[in-house]
Amino acid sequence: MKLPNQRWDIASPNPKKIELLAKEMQVSNLIIKIILNRGVDTSDLARIYLNPNEEILPPPLAEFPDLYKSINLLIIAIEKKHKIAICGDYDADGMTSTSLLLRALKYFGGDVYYKIPNRIKDGYGINKQIVEDFSKNGVKLILTVDNGITAYEPIKRAAELGLNVIITDHHDIPKRLPPADAILNPKLLPNESPYSGLAGVGVAYVLALTLSQTLNKTEGIIASLLELFTLGTIADLAPLTGVNRRWLKQGLKQLPNSQLPGIQALIKVSGISDEQKQLKSDDIGFKLGPRINAVGRIGEPKTAIELLTTDNLEVALEKALECEEINKIRKSLCERIEKEAIDLIENIPLDYQEKRVLIVIQHKWHHGVIGIVASRLVERYGVPVFIGTYEEDDINKIRGSARGIPEFDVFHALQYCDDLLDKFGGHKAAGGFNLKQKNLSFFEKKLSEFAHQYLQLHHIKPLIKIDSAINFKDIDNNLYETLDSLQPWGIGNAIPIFWTPNIIILKQKVIGDNHLKILLAQNDGQQIEAVAWRFGSYYPLPKQLDIAYKLSKNFWNGKNNIQLEIVGIRIPSSMNKEFQSTFEFNGKQYICSIKGNKLKIKNLQGKTLSIDKGKREGLLENGYEKIKTIDVTHQPYYTIVKMALHSLNL
């Protein structure tokens, strides 16, 4: 029997604090437990969490030291009709940032155009060639969005050419800042600032919003800026705390009635139900965002930019359909590369547990989707993943993506290896890198060195963070609606995960693309339906399990029902007790035991045969020494196993 190899972290906040806060805030103990698990541990913080609009925000001009200078540079450029060039990025954050500033600056009368580097030819971020092309085209002011903080040489070149540069970025701060005229980056702010978690599109939103207020031109533009901010922030997996959470709650309510043709068209082609009064973060994270991201990964970013900046509904629908087709190709590429990567990992052991990091490099993988595959491998193996492929025009160069786990900082890991890398960037959870093939073995060794400083063997399992145990009888519309009011869910405000022990599986079947549809029951007879995405490889599940899950609503044929979305399963602790017995065969004594689904049979000479339930092969060991694999359907092992099971009353 195959089950996920997970580690469950079940939260246990102070019971007295739960009772005191629940009484003071007049909400249930369960809701207070969820709030405490998210680091909200005082009544003042709890009030702001429950009602984000009650927080008194400092004005952005008081928080960002270079914001005033940035506004002045933009106003001068607009008034003097100087050319303004936006250099964006090809992910959803970069493309929504670019679209947001294009809309805003054109609305304010700016002469503005944009450039997004080609993922394959140019790589990430602004470069010297882009700067020189801007200069030749008469640009006077460059705005970087979602990039630029590590681009020292390109920004230096811009200064040499007499160009002004405003960097808007949110990636980690390098040792040496570029010589820009102004830098807007939330990583330069104190951690306690409500603006510290902004994504690139959030910085662009602050800049555009402040500019509109300074120019007294807010009418007719603010709503569209908020919607683009909402789309980009959630798609980029930015932390949903501080101003992000406050603004997103408002933006998600606006989106279903968006006046932007591009967002209307995107909602239509993605199949989001017309019945939804407001969108949820999952609607963007799994439906709208991937269609934008796919364009930057394997298509032309201008498709997404045109989609989000057009005011023509027909053009918007045409571009949304293009995004849809590109996303289908992206999904197919991801599935193929993920399968190839898994085959590589499991058929050619890469010993990632010993190294504490998984490094997978292969020819002819698409640069644009390997980051998505890295995330899926992290979900599967629970280990930091560095995945790469060789450049199409130079097999001596590797381009890669990295994804981390909570205890591992990807950006610091790449910094640790910077002497081996041609280029790198990112943040704690994710990053990108380039290196020469000749440095690969040294890179692997150094990454493992770094990982051993922070990771123990028990960390190398997918982590399920659980808020509380609940019973099926507690799950109703009232609980669902209360939880829903705490939206949006995401990084920093994770969707609540619950668990219920000793459930019984009444029905199960594989559906769609490797998913499970399950009917569950507790011992008291309470039943509920569940779905387990990407759990098809564990079919059939044992009849009795502990399950970890989140709550969702299933919209179908005009009806909506609460269902469980299973994220974790394990054998109940009651089934992990070890049972022992003895028996005799051909005049020899044997000791047999069973724990969970593993049967062990030991003779008096110290040799042990271990067999997993349902398997035809067992492992013969002498102490810790593996001797050989045994086919237990052959004699005499078949009879020995049968007698052991009989001895254990199984």
Side-chain angles (χ1 to χ4, degrees), residues 407-587:
E407 299 83 2
F408 183 93
D409 191 310
V410 168
F411 185 72
H412 288 163
L414 292 170
Q415 277 187 322
Y416 188 79
C417 304
D418 65 352
D419 59 320
L420 299 171
L421 300 173
D422 297 333
K423 193 176 180 181
F424 71 92
H427 43 79
K428 184 179 187 296
F433 59 92
N434 294 65
L435 79 157
K436 295 179 178 64
Q437 196 277 335
K438 66 180 182 181
N439 289 334
L440 179 57
S441 61
F442 302 106
F443 179 57
E444 291 175 341
K445 183 179 179 182
K446 207 162 183 182
L447 273 179
S448 183
E449 280 178 8
F450 178 86
H452 272 80
Q453 296 175 37
Y454 298 95
L455 302 179
Q456 301 299 320
L457 197 57
H458 68 268
H459 291 131
I460 311 301
K461 291 180 182 178
L463 174 64
I464 309 294
K465 299 194 78 169
I466 298 171
D467 284 284
S468 180
I470 59 173
N471 293 314
F472 289 174
K473 66 182 180 182
D474 300 323
I475 299 171
D476 56 20
N477 278 311
N478 183 51
L479 174 61
Y480 182 86
E481 296 301 330
T482 303
L483 292 173
D484 202 44
S485 70
L486 306 180
Q487 289 256 21
W489 306 121
I491 305 296
N493 189 43
I495 187 168
I497 302 293
F498 304 108
W499 78 289
T500 304
N502 296 309
I503 62 91
I504 306 298
I505 294 184
L506 301 178
K507 296 178 184 177
Q508 58 178 308
K509 64 178 179 179
V510 179
I511 60 168
D513 187 15
N514 203 34
H515 312 306
L516 291 181
K517 185 75 174 176
I518 312 167
L519 179 62
L520 307 170
Q522 281 190 279
N523 291 331
D524 60 3
Q526 289 280 340
Q527 296 184 15
I528 195 166
E529 289 187 335
V531 64
W533 305 117
R534 300 167 67 84
F535 270 47
S537 56
Y538 304 122
Y539 178 85
L541 298 175
K543 290 293 183 184
Q544 191 171 355
L545 285 170
D546 293 346
I547 59 168
Y549 54 88
K550 55 187 178 181
L551 303 184
S552 68
K553 274 199 174 178
N554 183 29
F555 295 90
W556 184 252
N557 286 340
K559 297 180 181 179
N560 58 79
N561 299 306
I562 298 174
Q563 68 175 8
L564 311 186
E565 288 189 18
I566 293 176
V567 296
I569 52 178
R570 69 180 187 185
I571 297 296
S573 57
S574 60
M575 295 177 66
N576 277 328
K577 293 178 182 177
E578 187 167 6
F579 301 94
Q580 281 194 354
S581 185
T582 59
F583 67 96
E584 185 177 310
F585 173 68
N586 282 349

Side-chain angles (χ1 to χ4, degrees), residues 16 55 147 254 288 337 455 514 565:
K16 288 184 179 178
E55 183 178 15
N147 75 96
Q254 273 185 210
L288 305 187
I337 294 172
L455 302 179
N514 203 34
E565 288 189 18

Side-chain angles (χ1 to χ4, degrees), residues 269-461:
V269 301
S270 65
I272 292 173
S273 171
D274 294 334
E275 300 171 24
Q276 289 183 234
K277 295 179 181 177
Q278 74 171 64
L279 296 193
K280 295 181 169 55
S281 49
D282 277 2
D283 293 317
I284 293 176
F286 295 107
K287 294 177 182 177
L288 305 187
R291 285 163 172 80
I292 297 290
N293 256 322
V295 173
R297 291 180 181 280
I298 62 173
E300 285 295 334
K302 69 176 184 179
T303 302
I305 303 295
E306 289 173 7
L307 169 72
L308 298 174
T309 56
T310 185
D311 292 318
N312 184 306
L313 194 53
E314 287 185 11
V315 171
L317 190 55
E318 176 190 332
K319 297 301 173 185
L321 289 170
E322 286 181 32
C323 291
E324 179 72 9
E325 291 306 309
I326 293 168
N327 191 48
K328 288 177 182 177
I329 298 169
R330 189 273 308 165
K331 287 172 71 175
S332 176
L333 281 171
C334 284
E335 288 166 6
R336 176 180 65 80
I337 294 172
E338 182 184 6
K339 183 179 183 304
E340 291 176 5
I342 291 169
D343 288 345
L344 192 66
I345 294 162
E346 298 187 355
N347 294 330
I348 307 173
L350 298 176
D351 201 15
Y352 62 86
Q353 290 186 324
E354 173 59 30
K355 292 180 178 177
R356 308 287 197 272
V357 65
L358 177 56
I359 302 165
V360 190
I361 311 293
Q362 186 62 282
H363 289 279
K364 297 182 179 178
W365 282 350
H366 197 291
H367 298 110
V369 300
I370 56 175
I372 299 173
V373 176
S375 296
R376 292 183 182 176
L377 295 178
V378 171
E379 288 177 13
R380 185 182 181 95
Y381 297 106
V383 62
V385 172
F386 289 74
I387 185 171
T389 189
Y390 296 90
E391 298 283 12
E392 291 179 6
D393 57 351
D394 189 348
I395 60 170
N396 295 310
K397 293 182 179 179
I398 295 169
R399 188 186 304 185
S401 289
R403 298 293 184 271
I405 62 175
E407 299 83 2
F408 183 93
D409 191 310
V410 168
F411 185 72
H412 288 163
L414 292 170
Q415 277 187 322
Y416 188 79
C417 304
D418 65 352
D419 59 320
L420 299 171
L421 300 173
D422 297 333
K423 193 176 180 181
F424 71 92
H427 43 79
K428 184 179 187 296
F433 59 92
N434 294 65
L435 79 157
K436 295 179 178 64
Q437 196 277 335
K438 66 180 182 181
N439 289 334
L440 179 57
S441 61
F442 302 106
F443 179 57
E444 291 175 341
K445 183 179 179 182
K446 207 162 183 182
L447 273 179
S448 183
E449 280 178 8
F450 178 86
H452 272 80
Q453 296 175 37
Y454 298 95
L455 302 179
Q456 301 299 320
L457 197 57
H458 68 268
H459 291 131
I460 311 301
K461 291 180 182 178

